[in-house]
Amino acid sequence: MDFWWILYIIDWALFIPMAITATYLLFFAVAALFKHKSPAPKAKQESRFIVIIPSYKDDDRIFDTVNTILGQTYPQRMFDVVVVSDHQSEMTNMRLAQLPITLLTPNFAESSKAKSLQYAIINLPQFKIYDAVIVLDAGNIVMPEFLEMMNNAYESAGTKVVQARRVARNLNTSIARLDAIFTEINNSVFRRGHISIGLSASLDGSGYLFNFAWFKQHIMKVHSWVGESKELEAMLMHEGVFIDYADDIFVFDYKASELQVFNRERGKWIYNQLHCQIANVKYLPSAIMNRRYDWIDKLLQWTMMPRTVMMAFITIMSCILPFIYFTLAIKWWFFAALTLMACSIATPNYLVTKDWDKDFLNAPLVTIGSLHQFIRAFRKGMKISVNNIHHKLNHIS
């Protein structure tokens, strides 16, 4: 096989998944422009909520979240707050213990958000009855009307899950602003765009509401060390449960201010997507045969290239190919423009500031870092898969 055949194979093997991903992004970015939902009407009854806040070494930000929840306009008799303080200081725990919340202090050898949520559910008093559970991250800030609006959305949706809109609470650095832009693109493409054509929204890590009975049963089946939301999402799709999205209910989320922190978080997210892809791709033929469109969409979504990794490959191929075989580069330039168009459509106006151009000077550093994290996550995922196969074979023998 000569050099040109090898080049053609590499070119198309990379191009096809990139083209599918870019087209997918553009389609849902345009769909997000139409059919905006009206705010949910006033609920006829008040649901009883349990608000769980897992906090791992977040001594500085946990009080912001707790104080905004305790300052709700929703009747205080209708909600309880549980903070799972994992590896936080004694001083932080002493201050939290003085607040009208339930404080849990587990001592996990290996911490994860899933473990914290499971610990919270296990340690709830048996006599307490709740209609729904809301999960927030330490550092999240919500409006005083948050629980009231979530109650309205929960009753109006008529489903077991509602995802609120996470937005940035800090725009102090270029990396934080880029992270905020990526978050809003996700809101447009994977939530508002999906809802507009009748597909389930995607869960976003925090700021989500679950029917309590469903959550209590299914959270115990989660094993992921980084992203419990993806595993819960897979369970919901498998059971045909619709995920609604409340675009007008804001959860202000603290964004990574440094490139190293951003890339580390991105690496965890990429690994979790690969994990979900490997674990659930076997259900794709059945989903297609049974026309389960939500499940098909979710499985295709997880098999696509992460956006920053895609941008890295498009940039590299667009710059290298003109010097090797000019005509091969044309299609890469076309889909580079398509990707930029999708991202620009999905980015809200409030994030297009005077620092816009300066922020995007950091984009190459983000894409390179994401590419490195993608390779690490892929190697880790393959290693875990091989170990699982060996374990099953040993068990059979």
Side-chain angles (χ1 to χ4, degrees):
M1 186 179 292
D2 62 14
F3 168 78
W4 297 110
W5 276 109
I6 295 173
L7 177 63
Y8 291 147
I9 292 171
I10 294 174
D11 176 57
W12 283 102
L14 289 174
F15 177 73
I16 291 173
M18 306 298 165
I20 293 172
T21 303
T23 305
Y24 184 95
L25 291 173
L26 181 61
F27 175 81
F28 283 105
V30 173
L33 300 175
F34 303 98
K35 198 178 177 181
H36 285 255
K37 289 177 60 179
S38 302
K42 178 74 175 177
K44 296 179 181 178
Q45 60 183 20
E46 295 170 337
S47 299
R48 182 160 179 78
F49 295 121
I50 176 70
V51 182
I52 303 177
I53 310 172
S55 182
Y56 174 72
K57 295 184 178 180
D58 268 311
D59 301 74
D60 296 332
R61 297 195 291 263
I62 182 61
F63 293 99
D64 295 339
T65 308
V66 173
N67 289 332
T68 60
I69 283 294
L70 293 179
Q72 293 292 296
T73 58
Y74 201 67
Q76 290 196 354
R77 70 181 187 282
M78 298 303 295
F79 71 94
D80 293 325
V81 181
V82 175
V83 173
V84 185
S85 179
D86 184 12
H87 288 83
Q88 296 192 138
S89 69
E90 289 295 328
M91 181 59 69
T92 297
N93 291 337
M94 287 177 61
R95 290 177 61 192
L96 287 171
Q98 297 173 13
L99 299 174
I101 63 170
T102 298
L103 177 63
L104 302 175
T105 55
N107 187 26
F108 299 127
E110 294 183 8
S111 300
S112 72
K113 187 175 177 180
K115 285 184 179 179
S116 292
L117 293 173
Q118 292 165 353
Y119 191 85
I121 292 296
I122 290 171
N123 285 277
L124 287 177
Q126 294 296 318
F127 63 88
K128 292 279 189 176
I129 299 174
Y130 299 103
D131 299 301
V133 56
I134 294 175
V135 177
L136 296 174
D137 284 340
N140 288 166
I141 291 178
V142 295
M143 300 173 290
E145 303 83 12
F146 173 72
L147 289 181
E148 185 178 348
M149 294 176 74
M150 287 294 269
N151 183 55
N152 297 340
Y154 182 47
E155 183 174 286
S156 175
T159 187
K160 296 179 181 178
V161 196
V162 177
Q163 172 67 57
R165 178 180 175 181
R166 291 213 309 179
V167 297
R169 60 173 282 198
N170 62 305
L171 300 171
N172 55 318
T173 68
S174 294
I175 298 299
R177 289 189 289 271
L178 274 177
D179 199 358
I181 290 170
F182 291 152
T183 297
E184 284 288 27
I185 290 173
N186 287 342
N187 286 335
S188 294
V189 173
F190 299 113
R191 282 170 271 283
R192 189 163 58 247
H194 277 65
I195 291 294
S196 68
I197 65 170
L199 291 174
S200 279
S202 174
L203 292 179
D204 198 17
S206 73
Y208 52 72
L209 174 153
F210 273 87
N211 170 271
F212 181 77
W214 191 96
F215 186 83
K216 181 179 180 180
Q217 178 184 355
H218 290 77
I219 191 61
M220 298 302 169
K221 303 175 185 178
V222 173
H223 304 292
S224 174
W225 66 277
V226 286
E228 83 299 333
S229 59
K230 284 287 184 288
E231 287 198 47
L232 289 171
E233 212 171 312
M235 294 176 196
L236 290 165
M237 295 300 98
H238 195 66
E239 295 182 12
V241 179
F242 186 80
I243 304 174
D244 202 8
Y245 174 59
D247 194 52
D248 60 323
I249 305 178
F250 294 91
V251 174
F252 297 93
D253 183 46
Y254 190 85
K255 295 301 177 186
S257 299
E258 299 176 359
L259 182 61
Q260 183 179 4
V261 177
F262 176 85
N263 281 334
R264 184 168 63 246
E265 291 178 353
R266 185 65 51 173
K268 291 180 179 179
W269 183 87
I270 291 171
Y271 168 78
N272 197 51
Q273 180 170 326
L274 286 171
H275 172 77
C276 283
Q277 174 187 335
I278 293 168
N280 294 290
V281 71
K282 60 187 176 183
Y283 298 116
L284 184 57
S286 172
I288 294 173
M289 290 178 61
N290 293 292
R291 299 180 182 180
R292 299 180 62 184
Y293 299 114
D294 265 345
W295 202 194
I296 294 169
D297 171 72
K298 201 63 61 179
L299 292 169
L300 291 176
Q301 190 182 116
W302 291 338
T303 57
M304 291 190 303
M305 277 283 179
R307 197 168 49 254
T308 49
V309 175
M310 179 189 70
M311 292 169 64
F313 276 120
I314 289 177
T315 302
I316 292 169
M317 298 300 284
S318 297
C319 294
I320 291 176
L321 281 179
F323 299 100
I324 302 175
Y325 198 139
F326 183 82
T327 55
L328 289 179
I330 296 174
K331 63 182 180 299
W332 286 95
W333 294 343
F334 174 76
F335 276 96
L338 207 66
T339 303
L340 291 174
M341 184 188 299
C343 292
S344 62
I345 291 172
T347 303
N349 291 333
Y350 81 90
L351 289 174
V352 185
T353 64
K354 59 184 176 63
D355 297 316
W356 174 269
D357 295 336
K358 188 190 304 180
D359 295 342
F360 269 87
L361 291 175
N362 286 302
L365 297 175
V366 171
T367 55
I368 292 170
S370 294
L371 187 58
H372 173 66
Q373 294 293 343
F374 174 77
I375 294 170
R376 286 187 59 188
F378 181 78
R379 290 174 61 187
K380 186 172 184 177
M382 291 301 296
K383 184 177 179 180
I384 291 173
S385 297
V386 170
N387 289 339
N388 287 339
I389 292 171
H390 286 164
H391 177 75
K392 288 179 180 178
L393 289 175
N394 292 333
H395 181 73
I396 292 171
S397 60

